[in-house]
Amino acid sequence: MNVLIISSPNIIGRGGQVRSYYVLKHLSRTPIENYVVTIDTPHHIVNELRNSGVNIINNISCNGSEINTCIAKLVRNIIKHITDLRIDMVVSHSEHPLFVLPTFISSALSNIPWTVIVQSHMYINPYLSYGRYVSSTRFLRTMLALRAMNSTLVHLVSDVIQHELSRLGIGFRNYEVLEIPVGLDHELMKLCLNANQPKVYDLAFMGALTVEKGIYDLLYIVSKIAREYRQVKLLLLGDFNSPYERERFMDLTKRLGIEEMVIYAGYKIGMEKYCELSKARVFLFPSYVDILSISILEALGMGLPVIIWDLPYANQFRTNAVIKVRSRRDFVDKVITLLKDQAYMERLSKEARSFVMQYTWDAATHSEYKAYIKTLSWWYKRS
């Protein structure tokens, strides 16, 4: 089976791009012949993937191009590859209209099956505004992408995506959820765990340092714990989305009197990230917008109990090591309880490690391969 994948892999990109990067590296172990067209992928990432055996046949640049112009360019490119390589199915590794629409149009004109690996609901929420008003152009383009996806069987990394879209009355008609959507680098984690580094931080957060991720809740929690129990150290791994946001955040730490308790370590990857995380005791993740957070899985993999909001995305973590709360007061109380009870933390740490062992990149890639087979079966049954 010849599969053409439209993707934007990047090991230091967003969650979906990281997932694409690892899945593409592992697809050679499945019984398919895969070809990849990347969009706006840094050249060093393209070269790295090619050197590891990923068959990237084209890297399309859309930077600076109007999106509709880029869609037209992609359609021409994809149709040529479908013909030249005798492609049996086209797969979009993103739900973004820039990926979905050319995949749909090319497949329809070539009369072959296609599918989408849906990583989030944000890009396909037509009512989402990036300013004061909803763009009419973006609204129409997103609605077209949703309509296109409802003409095939799509595969979600989490059922939270369907939940969020259904609330808006625009859920998918035909969908399945990937059995194992993502993986972890257990070998690197093991190296850091075996180093038995001392616990330098009481608390840790890892992810985008944005309002939506609850970074200001973190400051409230640290401030309250310092007043009611003792001073603690909070490790921040990630980047702010703007210099203004960083300045505002740091200024608030000073006004709350917790400047010395908040350690900003920046964005890290690989072993450096895991080893830094292993120095913490408890992982806090007060995000309001997540789907399936790799950060939570990585924290569990490093043996950290995790405290999160009781939101739909929390239901995917079926382990006692993930503690769900409904108020900032609950966050504070749960942290203090954990810090006071070392035996309890150690029990949760073992359960955390056990829970994440199912998340490997081999398993995630096999789940995607099964999604391709299910898509083909769906199409042929329909016809």
Side-chain angles (χ1 to χ4, degrees):
M1 179 170 67
N2 293 342
V3 177
L4 180 63
I5 301 169
I6 316 303
S7 180
S8 180
N10 195 337
I11 193 172
I12 58 172
R14 299 181 303 275
Q17 293 176 306
V18 173
R19 181 189 178 280
S20 290
Y21 175 89
Y22 282 108
V23 167
L24 291 176
K25 291 186 79 170
H26 286 75
L27 270 175
S28 61
R29 305 176 191 179
T30 62
I32 62 171
E33 192 70 37
N34 62 88
Y35 303 89
V36 183
V37 171
T38 57
I39 302 174
D40 289 328
T41 301
H43 291 298
H44 71 279
I45 298 291
V46 171
N47 292 335
E48 182 184 327
L49 287 170
R50 281 175 173 159
N51 291 337
S52 66
V54 179
N55 193 4
I56 297 177
I57 54 177
N58 210 340
N59 183 30
I60 305 293
S61 175
C62 285
N63 281 332
S65 300
E66 200 273 328
I67 187 168
N68 293 333
T69 302
C70 195
I71 287 172
K73 178 167 52 171
L74 284 163
V75 168
R76 291 193 298 270
N77 188 276
I78 294 169
I79 288 177
K80 183 178 185 303
H81 291 315
I82 288 173
T83 304
D84 293 348
L85 301 171
R86 297 183 178 181
I87 296 298
D88 299 300
M89 182 171 69
V90 186
V91 178
S92 171
H93 257 193
S94 172
E95 66 288 345
H96 194 292
L98 177 61
F99 293 74
V100 169
L101 291 176
T103 302
F104 164 69
I105 295 167
S106 305
S107 300
L109 292 174
S110 305
N111 197 30
I112 62 171
W114 72 290
T115 189
V116 182
I117 306 298
V118 184
Q119 320 250 15
S120 174
H121 63 91
M122 302 293 282
Y123 290 133
I124 45 175
N125 176 357
Y127 307 108
L128 186 67
S129 65
Y130 291 95
R132 189 173 178 184
Y133 303 106
V134 176
S135 162
S136 59
T137 304
R138 182 189 176 277
F139 176 85
L140 291 171
R141 190 166 48 235
T142 306
M143 290 300 289
L144 283 173
L146 279 168
R147 185 165 184 175
M149 284 188 276
N150 276 326
S151 70
T152 188
L153 175 67
V154 297
H155 303 273
L156 320 183
V157 299
S158 167
D159 56 8
V160 176
I161 297 170
Q162 179 70 1
H163 171 83
E164 294 294 337
L165 292 176
S166 295
R167 289 171 56 195
L168 300 170
I170 52 174
F172 294 114
R173 290 183 200 147
N174 310 294
Y175 75 95
E176 291 195 356
V177 179
L178 295 171
E179 294 173 5
I180 302 292
V182 297
L184 300 174
D185 196 330
H186 292 283
E187 290 302 314
L188 285 185
M189 288 181 164
K190 190 174 180 181
L191 288 172
C192 291
L193 288 168
N194 289 343
N196 289 319
Q197 297 188 87
K199 297 293 185 181
V200 178
Y201 313 108
D202 299 288
L203 311 171
F205 170 86
M206 180 168 64
L209 299 174
T210 63
V211 174
E212 296 81 9
K213 295 289 185 178
I215 58 171
Y216 293 99
D217 289 337
L218 291 171
L219 298 188
Y220 172 89
I221 293 163
V222 169
S223 176
K224 278 287 187 181
I225 294 170
R227 291 176 189 172
E228 298 178 13
Y229 177 48
R230 65 170 172 81
Q231 290 194 354
V232 291
K233 287 193 178 295
L234 167 67
L235 168 69
L236 296 178
L237 290 169
D239 279 337
F240 291 93
N241 62 356
S242 70
Y244 167 76
E245 196 67 66
R246 177 176 177 174
E247 183 179 346
R248 179 185 172 204
F249 182 87
M250 294 305 183
D251 181 62
L252 187 54
T253 66
K254 295 175 184 176
R255 286 192 279 129
L256 290 172
I258 57 172
E259 183 181 9
E260 300 299 320
M261 300 182 220
V262 178
I263 295 87
Y264 173 56
Y267 185 88
K268 298 183 184 297
I269 63 171
M271 193 165 177
E272 187 180 13
K273 170 179 65 177
Y274 294 136
C275 287
E276 198 66 20
L277 198 56
S278 73
K279 299 175 186 176
R281 292 183 170 86
V282 179
F283 190 77
L284 303 183
F285 199 75
S287 174
Y288 295 91
V289 294
D290 262 82
I291 302 300
L292 177 64
S293 171
I294 293 182
S295 293
I296 291 176
L297 292 174
E298 289 177 326
L300 292 169
M302 296 312 299
L304 274 63
V306 176
I307 306 176
I308 59 177
W309 288 120
D310 187 6
L311 292 172
Y313 74 84
N315 297 326
Q316 301 163 104
F317 304 102
R318 298 180 179 91
T319 168
N320 292 327
V322 174
I323 301 167
K324 295 178 277 189
V325 298
R326 295 189 174 184
S327 69
R328 292 193 292 183
R329 179 69 253 174
D330 283 348
F331 259 109
V332 172
D333 292 340
K334 294 297 183 185
V335 169
I336 292 174
T337 297
L338 285 168
L339 294 179
K340 284 182 174 179
D341 193 339
Q342 184 62 30
Y344 179 40
M345 270 211 290
E346 288 175 2
R347 287 198 304 274
L348 293 184
S349 179
K350 289 179 182 177
E351 187 167 337
R353 288 282 299 145
S354 175
F355 173 75
V356 298
M357 293 310 294
Q358 63 185 307
Y359 292 96
T360 69
W361 285 115
D362 278 333
T365 304
H366 184 66
S367 292
E368 181 158 325
Y369 165 69
K370 287 168 67 176
Y372 298 170
I373 301 302
K374 289 177 181 178
T375 299
L376 286 175
S377 175
W378 185 89
W379 271 79
Y380 293 135
K381 283 179 182 177
R382 192 186 70 160
S383 59

